[in-house]
Amino acid sequence: MFQLHFNNQIFQRKEDFEMEGKGFPEFVEAAFTFCKAWLSGQEIFLQQTSGSTGIPKETELTRNQMLASAKATGAFFGTNSETQLLCCLNSAYIAGKMMLVRAMLWDCPIWLVEPKSNPFQDLPKGFSPDFIAMVPLQVETCLEDFQTLVKLKKVSNLIIGGAPVSQNLKTRLMENNISAWQTYGMTETVSHIALAKIETGDSHYHTLPEVEIGQDDRGALWIKSPMSGPDKIQSNDLVELTTKTSFYWLGRADFVINSGGIKLHPELLEQKSESLIREFFPDSRFFFFGEKDEILGERLILILENTEPNEELAKLLQEIIKSRLGNFETPKKIYFLPAFIETESGKINRLMTFNQI
């Protein structure tokens, strides 16, 4: 039977959730408000997109779309009423909402904890979740703590979304034999429509049941599925189709850098050069970007989040990248910024961050 657990209390009926605005933390109020609306039979839900590649906007999602998404995920993983869920994502966003929908559709218990960097710290003794959705930062934090690592290794299925999973994180997950999947999706598709098992260096995505995919003339992915509604959804994600139901993700079309006629995918470069960059700047977030150039049109640059710029190390890093990846994939300039600008959902806003330079 569906049960939402919070602070040793159990909620499962609409009446149980008529408590928002009474001193609960914001993440609890968001979950309670959504559960009350869902159990009341509400058909339309307004959801704000993340704004990671543009201005955040509100999109309209239907109850049937959300049900279709939860049903497809359940079929993919073979969940049932005994599957124990952990919701450690903010229910103000679609990923957190969908954890609640899954619990209500699958008719199983779900534990609600604060969406912080190490959510396992708040779990009651003896509780071992079977299914969790997390963002990469949460997974990385849990891997650093031995006690939470032990708990994470017991999870049957961990799905990771919200941001690309770094190669370093993939390696650590594989080394610890953690059953993890990287998700592909967006607000408009109601959470994920495809999953890639983290078991090799490549991210080979496989679609959920009843999802159709294809490419436009740019090579960008389009999606048609019960969870995205009757219309075809056109993404800006460049992909390599391997079958009718699987693909490799290459990066965002709007991030592609055209440098002297050569197209560079910054997200792929970030994966290829991550281990090299970590050797020189282990604690810095980073991303590649295209800067206007009179000769090349755009030149490849690397932006590091670091409060202590080190130009000498930056030059050494450029030399190492050039020797390993070649001239075309070597940043022509490395910039340092003390702090990156983020979207409301915690993703790096690349354009606004670049505009700080």
Side-chain angles (χ1 to χ4, degrees), residues 111-255:
W111 270 253
L112 180 67
V113 296
E114 183 181 354
K116 60 185 183 180
S117 58
N118 192 337
F120 278 93
Q121 292 177 336
D122 294 336
L123 295 187
K125 288 185 178 180
F127 170 60
S128 181
D130 302 306
F131 184 96
I132 313 175
M134 303 174 81
V135 297
L137 176 61
Q138 290 176 313
V139 181
E140 289 174 354
T141 305
C142 289
L143 288 172
E144 294 295 334
D145 184 291
F146 177 75
Q147 292 184 332
T148 54
L149 172 59
V150 171
K151 294 178 181 179
L152 193 63
K153 293 175 75 168
K154 294 179 181 179
V155 175
S156 300
N157 287 297
L158 163 67
I159 60 174
I160 309 172
V165 179
S166 69
Q167 191 57 51
N168 179 59
L169 180 54
K170 289 179 184 178
T171 300
R172 295 177 68 190
L173 288 166
M174 290 186 288
E175 288 174 348
N176 286 285
N177 295 315
I178 294 171
S179 178
W181 301 76
Q182 185 169 4
T183 66
Y184 174 85
M186 59 199 79
T187 301
E188 294 86 346
T189 63
V190 190
S191 190
H192 55 267
I193 54 91
L195 294 150
K197 181 73 172 176
I198 297 177
E199 56 187 356
T200 63
D202 297 321
S203 294
H204 194 197
Y205 288 94
H206 299 271
T207 60
L208 296 182
E210 299 185 55
V211 173
E212 298 178 45
I213 57 173
Q215 291 172 291
D216 67 4
D217 55 8
R218 301 171 300 163
L221 184 73
W222 60 255
I223 302 150
K224 191 171 183 181
S225 67
M227 54 279 278
S228 57
D231 300 324
K232 184 186 292 184
I233 300 293
Q234 179 63 57
S235 79
N236 275 327
D237 290 307
L238 300 175
V239 299
E240 176 190 340
L241 292 183
T242 51
T243 70
K244 291 182 178 180
T245 58
S246 60
F247 61 91
Y248 288 106
W249 180 75
L250 302 177
R252 297 281 301 182
D254 38 0
F255 291 162

Side-chain angles (χ1 to χ4, degrees), residues 17-52:
F17 294 98
E18 294 177 343
M19 306 173 67
E20 63 269 19
K22 296 185 178 179
F24 283 103
E26 182 181 348
F27 76 96
V28 180
E29 289 187 26
F32 277 28
T33 300
F34 177 75
C35 286
K36 178 185 174 183
W38 185 271
L39 294 171
S40 298
Q42 186 169 314
E43 291 290 336
I44 302 295
F45 298 85
L46 294 178
Q47 184 62 51
Q48 190 176 63
T49 60
S50 66
S52 56

Side-chain angles (χ1 to χ4, degrees), residues 6 32 55 72 106 119 127 173 178 195 214 255 261 289 310 319 337:
F6 175 71
F32 277 28
I55 298 172
W106 301 347
F127 170 60
L173 288 166
I178 294 171
L195 294 150
F255 291 162
F289 204 77
N310 190 318
E319 293 174 7
L337 288 174

